[in-house]
């Protein structure tokens, strides 16, 4: 693994075999929703275009652009870890499920909020742009486990979990 310097004191991690090829350009850091990414500008036909480092790497090795309707997902959530082993293709919906806690979350758990009328913890998940209600619970941890089970069922490896190693799989939660 090698480091490529970006602007703002950031670095991107790339595979050794990609380092020399990527070093021919000046890369900058770009702030996404909650992550940083490596990016460069390229002039094509008199127009300026942003090139993401992860796209450049996959297109260089695959020889083809990213398929329509897909983006590159960084498995570990670190947009600056551009080692090929950290890439997978994902749809927009899959990318949305790979997000962590939202800024307005007050429960501390993904997909769990307090239902003010009942004072119970509501578990929910979004599938295909539609919110699915999973139930009301006295305990926010129980609601989070129910939400995690639904996320695994709906999104498999793309599911962002409250409990990456779900204790219910090993033993009953006390």
């Amino acid at each position: 693994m090698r480091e490529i310097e970006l602007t703002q004191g950031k670095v991107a991690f790339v595979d050794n075999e990609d380092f020399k090829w990527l070093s021919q350009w000046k890369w900058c850091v770009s702030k996404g929703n909650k992550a940083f990414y490596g990016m460069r500008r390229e002039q094509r036909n008199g127009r300026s275009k942003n090139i993401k480092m992860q796209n450049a790497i996959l297109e260089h090795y695959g020889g083809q652009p990213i398929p329509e309707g897909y983006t590159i997902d960084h498995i570990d959530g670190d947009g600056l870890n551009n080692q090929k082993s950290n890439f997978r293709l994902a749809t927009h919906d899959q990318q949305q499920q790979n997000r962590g806690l939202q800024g307005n979350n007050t429960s501390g758990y993904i997909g769990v909020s307090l239902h003010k009328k009942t004072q119970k913890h509501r578990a929910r998940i979004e599938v295909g742009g539609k919110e699915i209600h999973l139930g009301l619970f006295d305990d926010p941890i129980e609601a989070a486990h129910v939400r995690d089970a639904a996320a695994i069922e709906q999104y498999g490896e793309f599911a962002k979990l409250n409990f990456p190693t779900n204790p219910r799989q090993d033993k009953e939660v006390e």
Side-chain angles (χ1 to χ4, degrees):
M1 177 177 58
R2 301 279 306 265
E3 292 181 359
I4 293 192
E5 289 187 30
L6 308 172
T7 55
Q8 301 179 30
K10 302 281 186 195
V11 296
F13 301 102
V14 299
D15 293 318
N16 293 335
E17 64 266 20
D18 297 329
F19 179 78
K20 185 175 180 183
W21 177 74
L22 289 168
S23 293
Q24 66 183 305
W25 296 287
K26 178 174 173 40
W27 294 91
C28 63
V29 69
S30 172
K31 178 83 166 91
N33 206 11
K34 288 193 174 189
F36 292 99
Y37 299 92
M39 188 173 292
R40 68 180 176 86
R41 307 262 311 150
E42 182 177 282
Q43 293 289 331
R44 288 186 186 170
N45 303 326
R47 299 177 79 186
S48 185
K49 181 179 179 184
N50 288 331
I51 309 291
K52 292 181 179 177
M53 187 180 288
Q54 65 264 24
N55 290 21
I57 291 168
L58 277 191
E59 290 175 9
H60 177 73
Y61 285 95
Q64 297 188 27
I66 307 304
E68 185 73 30
Y70 286 87
T71 59
I72 296 173
D73 179 49
H74 291 82
I75 296 168
D76 68 0
D78 181 355
L80 297 178
N81 179 358
N82 286 312
Q83 296 174 90
K84 290 184 289 296
S85 62
N86 192 41
F87 295 160
R88 62 184 169 192
L89 291 177
T91 64
H92 175 73
D93 201 34
Q94 288 169 325
Q95 286 277 26
Q96 293 300 101
Q97 298 312 312
N98 197 15
R99 297 180 307 173
L101 282 175
Q102 300 302 298
N104 61 353
N105 181 289
T106 58
S107 73
Y109 298 104
I110 303 166
V112 176
S113 60
L114 183 65
H115 186 259
K116 291 183 181 178
K117 188 174 182 180
T118 62
Q119 289 298 300
K120 292 187 180 254
H121 302 277
R122 175 180 23 209
R124 66 193 183 310
I125 189 169
E126 189 174 305
V127 178
K130 295 182 181 177
E131 187 174 290
I132 297 173
H133 177 74
L134 302 171
L136 296 171
F137 303 89
D138 291 325
D139 181 14
I141 294 172
E142 182 180 4
H145 280 292
V146 168
R147 183 260 169 212
D148 280 2
I152 290 168
E153 183 178 317
Q154 289 293 324
Y155 294 105
E157 67 180 295
F158 290 93
K160 188 73 162 190
L161 303 176
N162 290 297
F163 307 102
T165 302
N166 192 333
R168 288 181 182 237
Q169 293 172 350
D170 302 323
K171 62 178 182 172
E172 195 62 26
V173 175
E174 297 170 1

